[in-house]
Amino acid sequence: MCTTPVTITLDEQLRQAVTAQLQAVGLTLNAYFVLAAKQLVIQDRIPFAVLTPGENEPNAVTRRAMVVIEAKELGLIPDDSPVFTDVAAMMVYLDQNGEF
């Protein structure tokens, strides 16, 4: 099989960080890129989750919901949340109350 050289430009700090992590698992930077390229072809998709910095941080609406849930669990506010036995009833409630 004939190979073709490819040039990749990385920020020096990123290159050092990536190289250190790859060395810990016994891979070179070149081997990692070949592995990623082969998996892209085999899986016909990017073979890993693509995240952005802070993506795992909840947004303002989610943070407020988390605070309300914790306050209810601690008994600081009454838990008056409706209970549903099926999805259809829940969807009707959400549609009628403008929460969906």
Side-chain angles (χ1 to χ4, degrees):
M1 176 188 304
C2 180
T3 60
T4 304
V6 175
T7 301
I8 298 173
T9 305
L10 294 175
D11 172 278
E12 183 59 25
Q13 286 181 319
L14 176 60
R15 186 195 63 75
Q16 288 176 358
V18 169
T19 300
Q21 288 191 350
L22 290 172
Q23 283 177 342
V25 295
L27 287 173
T28 64
L29 191 59
N30 185 70
Y32 173 75
F33 284 117
V34 170
L35 175 68
K38 286 181 178 181
Q39 286 302 305
L40 174 66
V41 172
I42 291 168
Q43 296 181 32
D44 196 26
R45 65 178 185 84
I46 296 176
F48 46 82
V50 178
L51 306 175
T52 59
E55 186 172 305
N56 292 327
E57 295 295 320
N59 63 27
V61 172
T62 303
R63 279 194 305 275
R64 280 192 293 273
M66 292 166 62
V67 168
V68 168
I69 290 168
E70 186 171 0
K72 288 178 180 181
E73 288 174 352
L74 294 172
L76 300 174
I77 59 175
D79 188 354
D80 56 354
S81 302
V83 177
F84 303 98
T85 57
D86 61 73
V87 174
M90 179 190 70
M91 294 305 291
V92 168
Y93 173 84
L94 292 174
D95 288 338
Q96 291 174 348
N97 291 286
E99 296 181 30
F100 186 69

